[in-house]
Amino acid sequence: MNIEIVSATEKTLGDAPEWASRPFSCKYCIYWEFPEERADPAVEEKRDMIRRKLEWFRRVRNEWGNCGKMVYLDGKCIGYAQYAPPNYLLRSADYDSGPPSDGAVLISCLFIPQSQFRRLGIGSQLLHSIINELKQREKEAIETFARKGSSDNPSGPVEFYLINGFQIRRDDKEFPLMRLDL
């Protein structure tokens, strides 16, 4: 098993894994970036969604720096992670357990969609790659809205973050705000 974790780029974003249900892939998902538009891939063309995602991605990389990671297993992309300061992820203001803390970087997505690749430590490797990068960039903390009761969600389950050193900063019945001080 050869695992490679790389920074997401405009070129590699197209490799993001796909699945059968909406949003069909992280590369089409603009949930965090454009909350006012409520875009739905069933209504809006996927090419328009990836175009908007790429525009957001370029802007964040230019203004703030790297904001994503891809994980490859034997040359095939099986996972994606996205993170940035909350002011780039406008949906973060909508969560009952929010808003994220000033100075924290928010993980909006850390997802390995196919269940056969979960519980192998790959998600933890992806998370620790982000942690190490953000430590090198001298960021103070990482936060995320984890999901209670379901591991089949792009935000990731609460248990995953607890095992990886995060603590619940603000609890919620479905999406508590989790935090790891760097």
Side-chain angles (χ1 to χ4, degrees):
M1 208 165 61
N2 181 31
I3 297 170
E4 183 181 15
I5 298 172
V6 300
S7 294
T9 65
E10 289 85 351
K11 186 175 181 177
T12 61
L13 189 61
D15 292 345
E18 298 204 20
W19 56 87
S21 61
R22 292 183 186 121
F24 307 111
S25 174
C26 297
K27 64 187 166 193
Y28 306 122
C29 179
I30 55 175
Y31 172 85
W32 290 96
E33 300 89 342
F34 303 102
E36 71 284 354
E37 298 184 31
R38 306 252 187 232
D40 182 344
V43 175
E44 189 171 346
E45 293 289 327
K46 288 180 181 179
R47 70 175 179 265
D48 290 334
M49 296 186 78
I50 198 166
R51 176 190 52 79
R52 290 167 60 208
K53 179 78 159 198
L54 285 169
E55 287 172 1
W56 175 87
F57 193 80
R58 283 185 202 106
R59 182 174 67 92
V60 175
R61 282 186 60 122
N62 288 336
E63 294 174 7
W64 182 73
N66 186 49
C67 57
K69 299 263 185 194
M70 315 288 287
V71 61
Y72 292 83
L73 176 64
D74 297 329
K76 179 184 177 190
C77 187
I78 62 162
Y80 173 80
Q82 178 177 290
Y83 49 95
N87 61 303
Y88 290 106
L89 300 162
L90 303 179
R91 175 77 65 184
S92 64
D94 295 344
Y95 280 72
D96 290 340
S97 59
S101 305
D102 290 337
V105 174
L106 183 71
I107 296 175
S108 59
C109 178
L110 194 151
F111 195 41
I112 299 183
Q114 297 175 334
S115 60
Q116 73 265 28
F117 299 124
R118 295 183 192 156
R119 299 192 182 277
L120 300 174
I122 298 170
S124 291
Q125 289 180 48
L126 180 57
L127 177 60
H128 286 279
S129 176
I130 295 167
I131 292 168
N132 291 336
E133 176 190 319
L134 294 177
K135 281 181 179 179
Q136 289 177 351
R137 291 169 65 181
E138 299 181 351
K139 303 303 177 188
E140 77 178 54
I142 303 172
E143 293 183 346
T144 191
F145 294 101
R147 179 91 184 254
K148 287 184 178 177
S150 174
S151 61
D152 194 25
N153 184 278
S155 59
V158 168
E159 296 78 17
F160 168 77
Y161 289 101
L162 290 172
I163 289 168
N164 283 284
F166 282 68
Q167 297 179 345
I168 295 174
R169 179 166 174 90
R170 281 188 221 106
D171 207 357
D172 180 72
K173 65 181 179 181
E174 189 172 14
F175 290 102
L177 182 65
M178 310 289 294
R179 180 180 175 96
L180 177 70
D181 289 310
L182 302 175

